[in-house]
Coordinates of all heavy atoms in Angstrom, one line a residue:
M30 N -12.2 16.1 3.6 CA -10.9 16.5 3.0 C -9.8 16.5 4.1 O -10.0 17.0 5.2 CB -11.0 17.9 2.3 CG -9.7 18.4 1.8 SD -9.8 20.0 1.1 CE -9.2 19.5 -0.5
I31 N -8.6 15.9 3.7 CA -7.5 15.9 4.7 C -6.7 17.2 4.6 O -6.4 17.6 3.5 CB -6.6 14.7 4.3 CG1 -7.4 13.4 4.4 CG2 -5.4 14.6 5.2 CD1 -6.7 12.2 3.8
K32 N -6.5 17.8 5.7 CA -5.7 19.0 5.8 C -4.5 18.9 6.6 O -4.3 18.0 7.4 CB -6.6 20.1 6.4 CG -7.9 20.4 5.6 CD -8.7 21.4 6.3 CE -10.0 21.7 5.4 NZ -10.8 22.7 6.0
N33 N -3.5 19.8 6.3 CA -2.3 19.9 7.1 C -1.4 18.7 7.1 O -0.7 18.4 8.0 CB -2.6 20.3 8.5 CG -3.3 21.7 8.6 OD1 -3.1 22.5 7.8 ND2 -4.2 21.8 9.5
N34 N -1.5 17.9 6.0 CA -0.6 16.7 5.8 C -0.6 15.8 7.1 O 0.4 15.3 7.5 CB 0.8 17.2 5.5 CG 0.9 17.9 4.2 OD1 0.3 17.6 3.3 ND2 1.7 19.0 4.2
C35 N -1.8 15.7 7.7 CA -1.8 14.8 8.9 C -1.7 13.3 8.5 O -2.1 12.9 7.4 CB -3.1 15.1 9.6 SG -4.6 14.5 8.8
M36 N -1.2 12.6 9.4 CA -1.0 11.2 9.3 C -2.3 10.5 9.9 O -2.6 10.7 11.0 CB 0.2 10.7 10.0 CG 0.5 9.2 9.7 SD 2.0 8.7 10.5 CE 3.2 9.6 9.6
L37 N -3.0 9.8 9.0 CA -4.3 9.2 9.5 C -4.1 7.9 10.2 O -4.8 7.6 11.2 CB -5.2 9.0 8.3 CG -5.6 10.2 7.5 CD1 -6.4 9.8 6.3 CD2 -6.4 11.1 8.4
G38 N -3.2 7.1 9.8 CA -2.9 5.8 10.4 C -1.6 5.3 10.0 O -1.0 5.6 9.0
I39 N -1.0 4.6 10.9 CA 0.3 4.0 10.7 C 0.3 2.6 11.3 O -0.2 2.4 12.3 CB 1.5 4.9 11.3 CG1 2.8 4.4 10.8 CG2 1.3 5.0 12.8 CD1 4.0 5.3 11.1
G40 N 0.9 1.7 10.6 CA 1.0 0.3 11.0 C 2.4 -0.3 11.0 O 2.6 -1.4 10.6
S41 N 3.3 0.6 11.4 CA 4.7 0.2 11.3 C 5.1 -0.9 12.3 O 4.5 -1.0 13.3 CB 5.6 1.4 11.4 OG 5.4 1.9 12.7
G42 N 6.2 -1.5 12.0 CA 6.9 -2.4 12.9 C 6.3 -3.8 13.0 O 6.7 -4.6 13.9
Q43 N 5.3 -4.1 12.2 CA 4.7 -5.4 12.3 C 5.4 -6.4 11.3 O 5.7 -6.1 10.2 CB 3.2 -5.3 11.8 CG 2.4 -4.4 12.6 CD 2.3 -4.8 14.1 OE1 2.1 -5.9 14.4 NE2 2.5 -3.8 15.0
P44 N 5.6 -7.6 11.8 CA 6.2 -8.6 10.9 C 5.3 -9.1 9.8 O 5.7 -9.7 8.8 CB 6.6 -9.8 11.9 CG 5.7 -9.6 13.1 CD 5.4 -8.1 13.2
N45 N 4.0 -8.9 10.0 CA 3.0 -9.3 9.0 C 2.5 -8.0 8.3 O 1.8 -7.2 8.9 CB 1.8 -10.0 9.7 CG 0.8 -10.5 8.8 OD1 0.3 -9.8 7.9 ND2 0.4 -11.7 8.9
R46 N 2.7 -7.9 7.0 CA 2.4 -6.7 6.2 C 0.9 -6.5 6.2 O 0.4 -5.4 6.2 CB 3.0 -6.7 4.8 CG 2.5 -7.8 3.9 CD 3.3 -7.9 2.6 NE 2.9 -9.1 1.9 CZ 3.5 -10.3 2.1 NH1 4.5 -10.4 3.0 NH2 3.1 -11.3 1.4
R47 N 0.1 -7.6 6.1 CA -1.4 -7.4 6.1 C -1.9 -6.9 7.4 O -2.8 -6.1 7.5 CB -2.1 -8.7 5.7 CG -1.8 -9.1 4.3 CD -2.5 -10.4 3.9 NE -3.9 -10.0 3.6 CZ -4.8 -10.9 3.2 NH1 -4.5 -12.2 3.2 NH2 -6.0 -10.5 3.0
E48 N -1.3 -7.3 8.5 CA -1.7 -6.8 9.8 C -1.3 -5.4 10.0 O -2.1 -4.6 10.6 CB -1.1 -7.7 11.0 CG -1.7 -7.4 12.3 CD -3.2 -7.6 12.4 OE1 -3.7 -8.4 11.7 OE2 -3.8 -6.9 13.3
S49 N -0.2 -5.0 9.4 CA 0.2 -3.6 9.5 C -0.8 -2.7 8.7 O -1.2 -1.7 9.2 CB 1.6 -3.5 8.8 OG 2.1 -2.2 8.9
L50 N -1.3 -3.2 7.6 CA -2.3 -2.4 6.8 C -3.5 -2.3 7.7 O -4.1 -1.2 7.8 CB -2.6 -3.1 5.5 CG -3.8 -2.5 4.8 CD1 -3.5 -1.1 4.3 CD2 -4.2 -3.5 3.6
R51 N -4.0 -3.4 8.3 CA -5.2 -3.4 9.0 C -5.1 -2.4 10.2 O -6.1 -1.8 10.6 CB -5.5 -4.8 9.5 CG -5.9 -5.7 8.3 CD -6.1 -7.1 8.6 NE -6.3 -7.9 7.4 CZ -6.0 -9.2 7.3 NH1 -5.4 -9.8 8.3 NH2 -6.3 -9.8 6.2
I52 N -4.0 -2.4 10.9 CA -3.8 -1.4 12.0 C -3.9 0.0 11.5 O -4.6 0.8 12.1 CB -2.4 -1.7 12.7 CG1 -2.4 -3.0 13.4 CG2 -2.1 -0.5 13.6 CD1 -1.1 -3.4 13.9
A53 N -3.3 0.3 10.4 CA -3.3 1.7 9.8 C -4.8 2.0 9.4 O -5.2 3.1 9.6 CB -2.4 1.8 8.6
L54 N -5.5 1.1 8.7 CA -6.8 1.3 8.3 C -7.8 1.5 9.5 O -8.6 2.4 9.5 CB -7.4 0.1 7.5 CG -6.8 0.0 6.1 CD1 -7.2 -1.3 5.5 CD2 -7.2 1.2 5.2
K55 N -7.6 0.8 10.6 CA -8.4 0.9 11.8 C -8.1 2.3 12.4 O -9.1 3.0 12.8 CB -8.0 -0.2 12.8 CG -8.9 -0.1 14.0 CD -8.6 -1.3 15.0 CE -9.4 -1.2 16.2 NZ -9.1 -2.2 17.2
K56 N -6.9 2.7 12.5 CA -6.6 4.0 13.1 C -7.2 5.2 12.2 O -7.6 6.2 12.7 CB -5.1 4.2 13.2 CG -4.5 3.4 14.3 CD -3.0 3.6 14.4 CE -2.4 2.8 15.6 NZ -1.0 3.0 15.7
A57 N -7.1 5.0 10.9 CA -7.6 6.0 10.0 C -9.1 6.1 10.0 O -9.7 7.1 9.7 CB -7.1 5.8 8.6
G58 N -9.8 5.0 10.2 CA -11.2 4.9 10.1 C -11.8 5.3 8.7 O -11.2 5.0 7.7
D59 N -12.9 6.0 8.7 CA -13.5 6.5 7.5 C -12.6 7.4 6.7 O -12.8 7.5 5.4 CB -14.8 7.2 7.8 CG -15.9 6.2 8.2 OD1 -15.8 5.0 8.0 OD2 -16.9 6.6 8.9
E60 N -11.7 8.0 7.3 CA -10.8 8.9 6.6 C -9.8 8.2 5.6 O -9.1 8.9 4.8 CB -10.0 9.9 7.5 CG -11.0 10.8 8.3 CD -10.2 11.8 9.1 OE1 -9.4 12.6 8.5 OE2 -10.4 11.8 10.3
A61 N -9.7 6.9 5.7 CA -8.9 6.1 4.8 C -9.4 6.2 3.4 O -8.7 6.0 2.5 CB -8.7 4.7 5.3
K62 N -10.7 6.4 3.2 CA -11.3 6.4 1.9 C -10.7 7.5 1.1 O -10.7 8.7 1.4 CB -12.8 6.6 2.0 CG -13.5 5.6 2.8 CD -13.5 4.2 2.2 CE -14.4 3.3 3.1 NZ -13.9 2.1 3.4
G63 N -10.0 7.2 0.0 CA -9.4 8.1 -0.9 C -8.0 8.6 -0.5 O -7.3 9.3 -1.2
A64 N -7.6 8.1 0.7 CA -6.2 8.5 1.2 C -5.1 7.7 0.5 O -5.3 6.8 -0.3 CB -6.2 8.1 2.7
A65 N -3.9 8.1 0.7 CA -2.7 7.5 0.2 C -2.1 6.5 1.1 O -2.1 6.7 2.3 CB -1.7 8.6 -0.2
L66 N -1.6 5.4 0.6 CA -0.9 4.4 1.3 C 0.5 4.4 0.8 O 0.8 4.3 -0.4 CB -1.5 3.0 1.1 CG -0.7 1.8 1.6 CD1 -0.8 1.8 3.2 CD2 -1.3 0.5 1.0
A67 N 1.5 4.5 1.7 CA 2.9 4.5 1.4 C 3.6 3.4 2.1 O 3.4 3.1 3.3 CB 3.6 5.8 1.7
S68 N 4.5 2.7 1.4 CA 5.3 1.7 2.0 C 6.8 1.9 1.6 O 7.1 2.4 0.6 CB 4.9 0.3 1.4 OG 5.8 -0.7 1.9
D69 N 7.6 1.6 2.6 CA 9.1 1.8 2.4 C 9.7 0.5 1.8 O 10.9 0.5 1.6 CB 9.8 2.2 3.7 CG 9.7 1.2 4.8 OD1 9.0 0.2 4.6 OD2 10.3 1.3 5.8
A70 N 8.9 -0.5 1.5 CA 9.4 -1.7 0.8 C 8.4 -2.1 -0.2 O 7.2 -1.8 -0.1 CB 9.6 -2.8 1.9
F71 N 8.9 -2.9 -1.2 CA 7.9 -3.3 -2.3 C 7.0 -4.4 -1.7 O 7.2 -5.0 -0.7 CB 8.7 -3.8 -3.5 CG 9.4 -5.1 -3.3 CD1 8.8 -6.4 -3.2 CD2 10.8 -5.1 -3.2 CE1 9.5 -7.5 -3.0 CE2 11.5 -6.3 -3.0 CZ 10.9 -7.5 -2.9
F72 N 5.9 -4.6 -2.4 CA 4.9 -5.6 -2.1 C 5.2 -6.8 -2.9 O 5.1 -6.8 -4.1 CB 3.5 -5.1 -2.3 CG 3.1 -3.9 -1.5 CD1 2.9 -2.7 -2.0 CD2 2.9 -4.1 -0.1 CE1 2.5 -1.6 -1.3 CE2 2.5 -3.0 0.7 CZ 2.3 -1.8 0.1
P73 N 5.5 -7.9 -2.2 CA 5.9 -9.1 -3.0 C 4.7 -9.8 -3.7 O 4.8 -10.5 -4.6 CB 6.5 -10.1 -2.0 CG 5.9 -9.6 -0.7 CD 5.7 -8.1 -0.8
F74 N 3.5 -9.5 -3.2 CA 2.3 -10.0 -3.8 C 1.2 -8.9 -3.8 O 1.3 -8.0 -3.0 CB 1.7 -11.2 -2.9 CG 2.7 -12.3 -2.7 CD1 3.4 -12.3 -1.5 CD2 3.0 -13.2 -3.7 CE1 4.3 -13.3 -1.3 CE2 3.9 -14.2 -3.5 CZ 4.6 -14.3 -2.3
A75 N 0.3 -9.0 -4.7 CA -0.8 -8.0 -4.9 C -2.1 -8.6 -4.6 O -2.9 -8.1 -3.7 CB -0.7 -7.3 -6.2
W76 N -2.5 -9.6 -5.3 CA -3.8 -10.2 -5.2 C -3.9 -11.0 -3.9 O -3.0 -11.7 -3.5 CB -4.0 -11.2 -6.4 CG -3.9 -10.5 -7.7 CD1 -2.9 -10.7 -8.6 CD2 -4.8 -9.6 -8.3 NE1 -3.1 -9.9 -9.7 CE2 -4.3 -9.2 -9.6 CE3 -6.1 -9.1 -7.9 CZ2 -4.9 -8.4 -10.4 CZ3 -6.7 -8.2 -8.8 CH2 -6.2 -7.8 -10.0
K77 N -5.1 -10.8 -3.2 CA -5.3 -11.4 -1.9 C -4.2 -11.1 -0.9 O -3.9 -11.9 0.0 CB -5.4 -13.0 -2.1 CG -6.5 -13.4 -3.1 CD -7.9 -13.1 -2.6 CE -8.9 -13.7 -3.7 NZ -10.1 -12.9 -3.7
D78 N -3.7 -9.9 -1.0 CA -2.6 -9.4 -0.1 C -2.8 -7.9 0.1 O -3.9 -7.4 -0.2 CB -1.3 -9.7 -0.7 CG -0.2 -9.9 0.3 OD1 0.3 -8.9 0.8 OD2 0.1 -11.1 0.7
V79 N -1.8 -7.2 0.5 CA -2.0 -5.8 0.9 C -2.5 -4.9 -0.2 O -3.4 -4.1 0.1 CB -0.6 -5.3 1.5 CG1 -0.7 -3.8 1.7 CG2 -0.2 -6.0 2.8
V80 N -2.0 -5.1 -1.4 CA -2.4 -4.2 -2.4 C -3.9 -4.3 -2.7 O -4.7 -3.3 -2.7 CB -1.7 -4.4 -3.7 CG1 -2.2 -3.6 -4.9 CG2 -0.2 -4.1 -3.5
E81 N -4.4 -5.5 -2.8 CA -5.9 -5.7 -3.1 C -6.7 -5.3 -1.8 O -7.7 -4.7 -2.0 CB -6.2 -7.1 -3.5 CG -7.6 -7.3 -3.9 CD -7.9 -8.6 -4.6 OE1 -7.3 -9.6 -4.3 OE2 -8.8 -8.6 -5.5
E82 N -6.2 -5.7 -0.7 CA -7.0 -5.3 0.5 C -7.1 -3.8 0.7 O -8.1 -3.2 1.1 CB -6.3 -5.9 1.8 CG -7.2 -5.8 3.0 CD -6.7 -6.7 4.1 OE1 -6.0 -7.7 3.9 OE2 -7.0 -6.4 5.3
A83 N -6.0 -3.1 0.4 CA -6.0 -1.6 0.5 C -7.0 -1.1 -0.6 O -7.8 -0.2 -0.2 CB -4.6 -1.1 0.2
C84 N -7.0 -1.6 -1.8 CA -7.9 -1.2 -2.8 C -9.4 -1.4 -2.4 O -10.2 -0.5 -2.5 CB -7.6 -1.9 -4.1 SG -6.0 -1.4 -4.9
E85 N -9.6 -2.6 -1.8 CA -11.0 -2.9 -1.4 C -11.5 -2.0 -0.2 O -12.7 -1.9 0.0 CB -11.0 -4.4 -0.9 CG -10.9 -5.3 -2.1 CD -10.7 -6.8 -1.7 OE1 -10.4 -7.1 -0.5 OE2 -11.0 -7.7 -2.5
N86 N -10.5 -1.4 0.5 CA -10.9 -0.6 1.6 C -10.9 0.9 1.3 O -10.9 1.7 2.2 CB -9.9 -0.9 2.8 CG -10.4 -2.1 3.6 OD1 -11.3 -2.1 4.4 ND2 -9.8 -3.2 3.3
G87 N -10.8 1.2 0.0 CA -11.0 2.6 -0.4 C -9.7 3.5 -0.5 O -9.8 4.7 -0.8
I88 N -8.6 2.9 -0.4 CA -7.3 3.6 -0.5 C -7.3 4.1 -2.0 O -7.6 3.4 -2.9 CB -6.1 2.8 -0.2 CG1 -6.0 2.4 1.2 CG2 -4.8 3.5 -0.7 CD1 -5.9 3.6 2.2
G89 N -6.9 5.4 -2.2 CA -7.0 6.0 -3.5 C -5.7 6.0 -4.3 O -5.6 6.0 -5.5
V90 N -4.5 6.0 -3.5 CA -3.2 6.0 -4.1 C -2.3 5.2 -3.3 O -2.3 5.2 -2.1 CB -2.6 7.5 -4.1 CG1 -1.2 7.5 -4.6 CG2 -3.5 8.4 -4.8
I91 N -1.5 4.4 -4.0 CA -0.4 3.6 -3.3 C 0.9 4.0 -3.8 O 1.1 4.0 -5.1 CB -0.7 2.1 -3.5 CG1 -2.0 1.6 -2.9 CG2 0.5 1.2 -3.0 CD1 -2.4 0.2 -3.2
A92 N 1.9 4.2 -2.9 CA 3.2 4.5 -3.3 C 4.1 3.5 -2.7 O 4.0 3.2 -1.5 CB 3.6 5.9 -2.8
E93 N 5.0 2.9 -3.5 CA 6.0 1.9 -3.0 C 7.2 1.9 -3.9 O 7.1 2.4 -5.0 CB 5.3 0.5 -3.0 CG 4.7 0.1 -4.3 CD 5.1 -1.3 -4.7 OE1 6.3 -1.7 -4.5 OE2 4.3 -2.0 -5.3
P94 N 8.3 1.4 -3.4 CA 9.5 1.5 -4.2 C 9.5 0.7 -5.5 O 10.1 1.1 -6.5 CB 10.6 0.9 -3.3 CG 10.1 0.9 -1.9 CD 8.6 0.8 -2.1
G95 N 8.7 -0.4 -5.6 CA 8.8 -1.3 -6.7 C 10.0 -2.2 -6.6 O 10.7 -2.2 -5.6
G96 N 10.2 -2.9 -7.6 CA 11.4 -3.8 -7.6 C 11.1 -5.3 -7.4 O 11.9 -6.1 -7.5
S97 N 9.8 -5.6 -7.2 CA 9.4 -7.0 -7.1 C 9.2 -7.6 -8.5 O 8.8 -6.9 -9.4 CB 8.0 -7.1 -6.4 OG 7.5 -8.4 -6.5
I98 N 9.5 -8.9 -8.6 CA 9.2 -9.5 -9.9 C 7.7 -9.6 -10.2 O 7.4 -9.8 -11.3 CB 9.8 -10.9 -9.9 CG1 9.3 -11.8 -8.9 CG2 11.4 -10.9 -9.8 CD1 9.6 -13.3 -9.0
R99 N 6.9 -9.2 -9.2 CA 5.5 -9.2 -9.4 C 4.9 -7.8 -9.4 O 3.7 -7.6 -9.2 CB 4.8 -10.0 -8.3 CG 5.1 -11.5 -8.3 CD 4.4 -12.3 -7.3 NE 4.8 -13.7 -7.3 CZ 5.8 -14.2 -6.5 NH1 6.4 -13.4 -5.7 NH2 6.0 -15.5 -6.6
D100 N 5.7 -6.8 -9.8 CA 5.2 -5.4 -9.9 C 4.0 -5.4 -10.9 O 3.1 -4.6 -10.7 CB 6.3 -4.5 -10.3 CG 7.2 -4.1 -9.2 OD1 6.9 -4.3 -8.0 OD2 8.3 -3.5 -9.5
G101 N 4.0 -6.2 -11.9 CA 2.9 -6.2 -12.9 C 1.6 -6.6 -12.2 O 0.6 -6.0 -12.6
D102 N 1.7 -7.5 -11.3 CA 0.4 -7.8 -10.5 C -0.1 -6.6 -9.8 O -1.3 -6.4 -9.7 CB 0.7 -9.0 -9.6 CG 0.9 -10.3 -10.3 OD1 0.5 -10.4 -11.5 OD2 1.3 -11.3 -9.6
A103 N 0.8 -5.9 -9.1 CA 0.3 -4.7 -8.4 C -0.3 -3.7 -9.4 O -1.3 -3.1 -9.0 CB 1.5 -4.0 -7.7
I104 N 0.3 -3.5 -10.5 CA -0.3 -2.6 -11.5 C -1.7 -3.1 -12.0 O -2.6 -2.3 -12.0 CB 0.7 -2.5 -12.7 CG1 2.0 -1.8 -12.3 CG2 0.0 -1.7 -13.9 CD1 3.1 -1.9 -13.4
D105 N -1.8 -4.4 -12.3 CA -3.1 -4.9 -12.7 C -4.1 -4.8 -11.6 O -5.3 -4.5 -11.9 CB -2.9 -6.4 -13.1 CG -2.1 -6.6 -14.4 OD1 -1.9 -5.6 -15.1 OD2 -1.6 -7.7 -14.6
C106 N -3.7 -5.1 -10.4 CA -4.7 -5.0 -9.3 C -5.2 -3.6 -9.1 O -6.4 -3.3 -9.0 CB -4.0 -5.5 -8.0 SG -5.1 -5.6 -6.6
C107 N -4.3 -2.6 -9.1 CA -4.7 -1.2 -8.9 C -5.5 -0.7 -10.1 O -6.5 0.0 -9.9 CB -3.4 -0.3 -8.7 SG -2.6 -0.5 -7.1
N108 N -5.2 -1.2 -11.3 CA -6.0 -0.8 -12.4 C -7.4 -1.4 -12.3 O -8.4 -0.7 -12.6 CB -5.4 -1.3 -13.7 CG -4.2 -0.4 -14.2 OD1 -4.1 0.7 -13.8 ND2 -3.4 -1.0 -15.0
K109 N -7.5 -2.6 -11.8 CA -8.9 -3.2 -11.6 C -9.7 -2.3 -10.7 O -10.9 -2.1 -10.9 CB -8.7 -4.6 -11.0 CG -10.1 -5.2 -10.7 CD -10.0 -6.6 -10.0 CE -11.3 -7.1 -9.6 NZ -11.3 -8.3 -8.8
Y110 N -9.1 -1.8 -9.6 CA -9.9 -1.0 -8.6 C -9.9 0.5 -8.9 O -10.4 1.3 -8.1 CB -9.4 -1.3 -7.2 CG -9.7 -2.7 -6.8 CD1 -8.8 -3.8 -7.0 CD2 -10.9 -3.0 -6.1 CE1 -9.1 -5.0 -6.5 CE2 -11.2 -4.2 -5.7 CZ -10.3 -5.3 -5.9 OH -10.7 -6.5 -5.5
G111 N -9.2 0.9 -9.9 CA -9.1 2.4 -10.2 C -8.2 3.1 -9.2 O -8.5 4.3 -9.0
V112 N -7.2 2.5 -8.7 CA -6.3 3.1 -7.7 C -5.0 3.5 -8.4 O -4.5 2.7 -9.2 CB -6.1 2.1 -6.5 CG1 -5.0 2.6 -5.6 CG2 -7.4 1.8 -5.8
S113 N -4.5 4.7 -8.1 CA -3.3 5.1 -8.7 C -2.1 4.4 -7.9 O -2.1 4.3 -6.7 CB -3.1 6.6 -8.5 OG -4.1 7.3 -9.2
L114 N -1.1 4.0 -8.7 CA 0.1 3.3 -8.1 C 1.3 4.1 -8.6 O 1.5 4.3 -9.8 CB 0.1 1.9 -8.6 CG 1.3 1.0 -8.2 CD1 1.4 0.9 -6.7 CD2 1.3 -0.3 -8.9
V115 N 2.1 4.4 -7.6 CA 3.4 5.2 -7.9 C 4.6 4.3 -7.4 O 4.6 3.9 -6.3 CB 3.4 6.5 -7.2 CG1 4.7 7.3 -7.4 CG2 2.2 7.4 -7.6
F116 N 5.5 4.1 -8.3 CA 6.7 3.4 -7.9 C 7.8 4.5 -7.7 O 8.2 5.3 -8.6 CB 7.2 2.5 -9.0 CG 6.4 1.3 -9.2 CD1 5.7 1.1 -10.4 CD2 6.2 0.3 -8.2 CE1 4.9 -0.1 -10.6 CE2 5.5 -0.8 -8.4 CZ 4.8 -1.0 -9.6
T117 N 8.2 4.6 -6.4 CA 9.2 5.7 -6.0 C 10.6 5.3 -6.5 O 11.4 6.2 -6.6 CB 9.2 5.9 -4.5 OG1 9.6 4.7 -3.9 CG2 7.8 6.3 -4.1
R118 N 10.9 4.0 -6.6 CA 12.2 3.6 -7.0 C 13.3 3.9 -5.9 O 14.5 4.0 -6.2 CB 12.7 4.0 -8.3 CG 11.8 3.6 -9.5 CD 11.9 2.1 -9.6 NE 11.0 1.6 -10.7 CZ 10.6 0.4 -10.8 NH1 10.8 -0.5 -9.9 NH2 9.8 0.1 -11.8
V119 N 12.8 4.1 -4.7 CA 13.7 4.4 -3.5 C 13.4 3.3 -2.5 O 12.2 3.2 -2.0 CB 13.5 5.8 -3.0 CG1 14.4 6.0 -1.7 CG2 13.8 6.8 -4.0
T120 N 14.4 2.6 -2.0 CA 14.2 1.5 -1.0 C 14.0 2.1 0.4 O 14.3 3.3 0.6 CB 15.3 0.5 -1.0 OG1 16.5 1.2 -0.6 CG2 15.6 0.0 -2.4
N121 N 13.7 1.2 1.3 CA 13.6 1.6 2.7 C 14.9 2.0 3.3 O 14.9 2.7 4.3 CB 12.9 0.5 3.5 CG 13.6 -0.8 3.4 OD1 14.6 -0.9 2.8 ND2 13.1 -1.8 4.1
S122 N 16.0 1.7 2.7 CA 17.3 2.2 3.2 C 17.7 3.4 2.5 O 18.9 3.9 2.7 CB 18.3 1.1 3.0 OG 18.5 0.7 1.7
G123 N 16.9 4.0 1.6 CA 17.2 5.2 0.9 C 18.0 5.1 -0.4 O 18.3 6.1 -1.0
H124 N 18.2 3.9 -0.8 CA 18.9 3.6 -2.0 C 18.0 3.6 -3.2 O 16.9 3.1 -3.1 CB 19.6 2.3 -2.0 CG 20.7 2.2 -1.0 ND1 20.6 1.6 0.3 CD2 22.0 2.7 -1.0 CE1 21.7 1.7 1.0 NE2 22.6 2.4 0.2
Q125 N 18.4 4.2 -4.3 CA 17.6 4.2 -5.5 C 17.8 2.9 -6.2 O 18.9 2.3 -6.2 CB 18.1 5.3 -6.5 CG 17.5 6.6 -6.1 CD 17.7 7.6 -7.2 OE1 18.7 7.7 -7.8 NE2 16.6 8.3 -7.6
I126 N 16.7 2.4 -6.8 CA 16.8 1.1 -7.6 C 16.5 1.4 -9.0 O 16.0 2.4 -9.4 CB 15.8 0.1 -7.0 CG1 14.3 0.6 -7.0 CG2 16.2 -0.4 -5.7 CD1 13.3 -0.4 -6.6

């Protein structure tokens, strides 16, 4: 069980979103199982990309702003893996969408 709101892994600042996820997963190790993944930008793709890779690695909840024309793919992918998906509707610059 995760206590005290600790940050398990962070993969910020990478130009490649999949590499950023992999860095965060590596830092979190086994504690990534069931953990939440949050992004300050929408995921332009779900299948064979960050959303599916996160699901395959045991992430339990994904939070992202939404706003991609492919948000439906993210929903379908998370549903396939039984992962909760939350659209925050707030962009990385703090604007509501």
Side-chain angles (χ1 to χ4, degrees):
M30 173 178 240
I31 301 167
K32 297 180 181 181
N33 299 325
N34 297 321
C35 69
M36 186 178 297
L37 299 175
I39 187 167
S41 63
Q43 301 299 313
N45 181 310
R46 64 187 171 275
R47 292 184 79 182
E48 189 60 28
S49 184
L50 170 68
R51 291 172 185 151
I52 291 168
L54 289 170
K55 182 177 178 182
K56 288 181 179 182
D59 289 339
E60 293 187 61
K62 304 292 188 226
L66 169 73
S68 176
D69 61 354
F71 67 77
F72 295 113
F74 306 101
W76 303 106
K77 305 292 183 207
D78 207 280
V79 171
V80 175
E81 188 168 31
E82 191 167 335
C84 292
E85 290 173 340
N86 280 278
I88 293 296
V90 178
I91 297 175
E93 57 131 320
S97 169
I98 60 171
R99 295 184 182 91
D100 281 347
D102 287 345
I104 293 167
D105 292 343
C106 185
C107 286
N108 283 341
K109 174 185 175 184
Y110 289 93
V112 172
S113 298
L114 177 62
V115 177
F116 291 116
T117 64
R118 299 294 181 204
V119 178
T120 67
N121 55 1
S122 60
H124 295 99
Q125 280 194 313
I126 54 175

